[in-house]
Amino acid sequence: MRAARRRTSPTLPGLVLLVSFAASAALAAVEVSERPVPEAEGGVRLRVTNEYFTLEFNPLGGYASSFRTRYSDRDWLWQGSALVDSGHLFLENWLGDGYYPNELTFLRREYQILERGPDTVVLKFTAVSKEKFLVEKTLTVEAGSPVVQCDLAMTNQSAETVTKGLWPKADLHVSGLKERNCYYRPYEHGVLVTGWNEEKKTNLGEDFLRTPVEGWTAALQAEQREGLVWLMDYNWLRTLYNCHSCWTVEWFYDDLPLTPGYRWATSYHMILVKGFDNVSHASPTVIAGTILEAKKAFDLVNPENPDRPDLVQITHTLSRSTLGELADVKISGELLEVDNAVTHPLPPLSVARLTWDPVELTHSVPCNPDLRLLCKVNLTATGPDGQPVAEAYEYYWPGVSGEKFNLVAGGIAPTYYRRPPRKVKEFPKPEGIKYVRNVPTRVLEFRGPGYSKLRLMEAAARAGVGEYLASYFTFDLFGGKCDRVPTSYPEMYSYDLIILNGVNAQSLTEFGQIAIRDFVEAGGAALVVGGFFSYDPGQFAGTPLAEFLPVRLAGKPFDLEQFTPPAPVRSTSQSRILAGATWARQPLCYWRHRLGPQPGAWVELAAGDKPLLVCGTFGGGRVAALCSSAFGAPAAGETPYWEDPAWVDNMARVIRWLVYPDLK
């Protein structure tokens, strides 16, 4: 999905200047003007112009309704017959308030021009929804910069907790041409390149990307080698999305429970780029494109010699980003053969400065171009404040005849896998809140597939729990959702036991995961049950859920193992709760997660010689982890442990230990 390379200046050894923005007549300032339009269309257009682009904003939704760049007269935003049929930039939807379009999408904004130039123009748009939800958007454009900074904030002005999720949206034809628009998203297996095939009327790749590993996305027009890069806060980023048939660039942030009076704010940047064939990495420091191509070494005597050794040519396209100009830029690294771990060092290359004018740096490495290769890059430079800057990134290439979208032949398993970095974020937490056991005691069970076979509700009743509530797990646009997740600390602390019965981490929301961890640490209790959506398959690793588990996760996408023959279930010499537990029959276990106890935890039940039920403490709370679920089909005469008549009574003893730590 890449056009033939077009070089705009002579090739230099290891360095090619792609575009000289200074070649065009440049405006010396940024300016804003107001143009009246019919009231039904918003009443006014705010035009912002600098040397790179002209934007027009409509107060009806606080979005840009026109975007033209210095490179052509084509508008990147098409003009439809109605607001919803037009192209837009800086449009927001809000999950929790219906889908597109919802009330806030085109709600009339009040606007202010906070700065009018010549160095900076700042526009601010505000609106309040019917449920007293305040939205603030501030857009900043500077002279001499192809960047628009968008600052967003939402404040709950009501007396109730309101759960919202920010959903920025852009509808555009890059370069004003929808043909060969391509979208770039960083994910677990490299960079996912997608687009729309106009001739076949079909997508080239997936619309949704549910596992972003960096906070950026990009849209390029292949023939024009230009486009836009968006930088957003990875810590809140949930999903990247492109609706190919509608030419959109969208992303979803995590849902946020806004307590009364709470204000949440974030920022993102939109950057106009020119001279890039692709985007392999983007950050506040640098924007990078990486191209790997098969070449042959030069044979001076016989240039057409077919036996010349293979080379892989690596071309790095680099420009500065929002941090500022970089000086004394050096890149180095290695080319890794993924299948056999052979590495080829990349000779260091350098350039005196990185500006908005992109440059190319090129390596030629003796290597078989049909291999799966991982290009690892280390960049060092001096930042605009004179301080050292260092950044590392990598780009996966499946080889000249490699599999599409970085999956092995047949599309079954990934060749290259990068675990998403852990997110760091804070949610509103009332000061001084403490957990106190409720009267009557209360349980909230998150129920995944097959939850009923374990009869935990019956066990809780025998343990003396007063109230039992359920939250059901389903699949949705984002991969998993529970219909009842606490949205505030007071709500979370109104329970005494949280049961995670075969649900994945994502379905509990980021806030839910943190609040459950804090609840247990404060003295609450948790019972975690295995399943196809639990533990490692449920992506617990690296989340707050993993912090309170009494078991160590294997760290693999699939951690289930089968017992052949089935393993007998028994108490252990470590048992404190179920010591001497009796069973009506010999219960058997058929499958278990490959989990072992954490230091300080102990094994209450074993399946053969493997841990089955592990218990421990976390802060002031207690936790039990069942390393299995109701898996397996028993043969005639066999009794699965969950069908043994003593199972419910034994689990009632475990729940009593969890909920009533002061009882002996």
Side-chain angles (χ1 to χ4, degrees), residues 2 4-5 7 11 291-299 303 305-315 335 360 362-370 373 397 399-400:
R2 174 175 153 263
R5 300 185 62 77
R7 302 196 182 274
T11 302
I291 299 292
L292 276 69
E293 298 173 292
K295 300 288 183 180
K296 286 286 187 179
F298 184 69
D299 187 332
N305 176 15
D307 297 322
R308 290 172 294 159
D310 290 322
L311 298 175
V312 172
Q313 180 173 295
I314 307 169
T315 303
L335 189 65
E360 282 186 355
T362 303
H363 301 282
S364 290
V365 180
C367 184
N368 181 355
D370 202 34
L373 301 172
W397 190 56
V400 291

Side-chain angles (χ1 to χ4, degrees), residues 186-351:
Y187 79 131
E188 295 163 309
H189 310 306
V191 175
L192 184 63
V193 185
T194 67
W196 174 259
N197 188 314
E198 182 67 22
E199 181 180 346
K200 296 182 179 180
K201 304 295 183 184
T202 185
N203 294 351
L204 301 175
E206 297 292 329
D207 284 8
F208 284 94
L209 191 152
R210 297 181 176 87
T211 54
V213 294
E214 296 180 23
W216 66 268
T217 189
L220 296 180
Q221 213 287 333
E223 282 78 10
Q224 303 299 316
R225 301 182 70 211
E226 66 182 348
L228 293 169
V229 175
W230 288 264
L231 303 178
M232 71 287 293
D233 186 352
Y234 169 77
N235 291 306
W236 288 95
L237 180 62
R238 182 177 183 180
T239 301
L240 293 171
Y241 173 62
N242 297 96
C243 180
H244 300 94
S245 59
C246 295
W247 315 100
T248 73
V249 176
E250 308 176 50
W251 62 92
F252 301 84
Y253 289 100
D254 293 313
D255 289 348
L256 175 68
L258 295 165
T259 53
Y262 187 79
R263 182 179 187 269
W264 178 81
T266 190
S267 297
Y268 71 88
H269 294 80
M270 186 188 79
I271 307 169
L272 174 67
V273 296
K274 179 75 170 178
F276 282 82
D277 289 292
N278 73 356
V279 178
S280 60
H281 174 71
S283 74
T285 303
V286 67
I287 299 172
T290 308
I291 299 292
L292 276 69
E293 298 173 292
K295 300 288 183 180
K296 286 286 187 179
F298 184 69
D299 187 332
L300 185 63
V301 177
N302 182 9
E304 303 302 321
N305 176 15
D307 297 322
R308 290 172 294 159
D310 290 322
L311 298 175
V312 172
Q313 180 173 295
I314 307 169
T315 303
H316 309 270
T317 306
L318 302 171
S319 79
R320 61 160 285 193
S321 189
T322 57
L323 177 67
E325 289 193 5
L326 303 179
D328 304 319
V329 181
K330 298 179 177 62
I331 64 169
S332 60
E334 63 183 20
L335 189 65
L336 172 67
E337 298 179 11
V338 173
D339 294 327
N340 54 32
V342 173
T343 60
H344 305 271
L346 299 179
L349 298 172
S350 62
V351 61

Side-chain angles (χ1 to χ4, degrees), residues 11-168:
T11 302
L12 303 176
L15 171 63
V16 177
L17 294 177
L18 293 179
V19 179
S20 177
F21 287 139
S24 301
L27 296 175
V30 58
E31 57 186 25
V32 60
S33 60
E34 297 168 87
R35 176 172 62 88
V37 298
E39 190 64 25
E41 299 176 13
V44 69
R45 291 291 183 272
L46 305 172
R47 175 172 292 184
V48 180
T49 300
N50 72 1
E51 65 187 84
Y52 286 95
F53 48 68
T54 297
L55 281 160
E56 278 198 351
F57 291 94
N58 185 342
L60 272 184
Y63 61 86
S65 56
S66 176
F67 180 67
R68 295 178 181 270
T69 75
R70 62 188 284 179
Y71 308 112
S72 74
D73 290 330
R74 294 185 294 270
D75 198 327
W76 291 28
L77 308 180
W78 66 90
Q79 306 302 310
S81 57
L83 292 175
V84 293
D85 297 325
S86 301
H88 318 87
L89 288 174
F90 306 104
L91 191 67
E92 290 85 39
N93 299 305
W94 303 88
L95 294 175
D97 191 35
Y99 289 90
Y100 175 82
N102 56 37
E103 181 201 355
L104 288 172
T105 305
F106 298 114
L107 186 65
R108 180 182 292 276
R109 264 74 164 168
E110 299 295 327
Y111 76 88
Q112 297 172 273
I113 303 176
L114 301 181
E115 293 189 46
R116 292 183 171 270
D119 298 320
T120 306
V121 166
V122 180
L123 307 179
K124 184 173 183 179
F125 298 91
T126 59
V128 179
S129 71
K130 289 180 292 187
E131 57 181 2
K132 298 182 180 179
F133 181 68
L134 171 65
V135 179
E136 302 168 273
K137 175 164 60 181
T138 305
L139 297 153
T140 303
V141 180
E142 296 181 342
S145 172
V147 179
V148 181
Q149 177 175 325
C150 181
D151 297 300
L152 289 160
M154 50 186 185
T155 305
N156 179 12
Q157 298 182 333
S158 74
E160 304 292 333
T161 295
V162 178
T163 298
K164 291 289 183 183
L166 176 59
W167 173 8

